[in-house]
Amino acid sequence: MYEFKENEIITLTAEDGSDVELEYMGQTEYQGATYGAFYPVPEEDEDILDADYDMVILKMYDLDGAQAFDMVEDDDLYDTLGEIFMDMIFG
């Protein structure tokens, strides 16, 4: 699995075909899976202090030798992982 550097910017393609830039904040293992915490990178004309972004939590795994991601769609799992990441990042 790819080793991300703290604050590394990645670009993912959304289901609608648009590109989304995310800043890597950290990762954790939970119930046998690896999850990463990311924050959307503000647009160039956006003031970062005015931006109201939620943390993006993605399940991370290897797919045929390439890094792959899935959105965490289960609300309870998202909340649990969110607490873990908030403690880890802002501790």
Side-chain angles (χ1 to χ4, degrees), residues 20-81:
V20 178
E21 286 191 320
L22 300 171
E23 181 178 1
Y24 173 77
M25 303 303 290
Q27 73 185 44
T28 191
E29 300 288 323
Y30 185 75
Q31 295 184 343
T34 302
Y35 295 92
F38 299 85
Y39 275 100
V41 175
E43 298 292 326
E44 287 181 26
D45 59 346
E46 243 180 331
D47 184 343
I48 194 163
L49 297 176
D50 293 335
D52 184 25
Y53 292 121
D54 288 329
M55 181 186 306
V56 176
I57 300 174
L58 301 172
K59 182 177 182 180
M60 302 171 15
Y61 57 97
D62 183 69
L63 181 65
D64 299 327
Q67 182 70 57
F69 304 91
D70 282 333
M71 294 291 297
V72 173
E73 296 184 17
D74 179 274
D75 290 339
D76 292 333
L77 177 59
Y78 181 92
D79 291 343
T80 299
L81 291 168

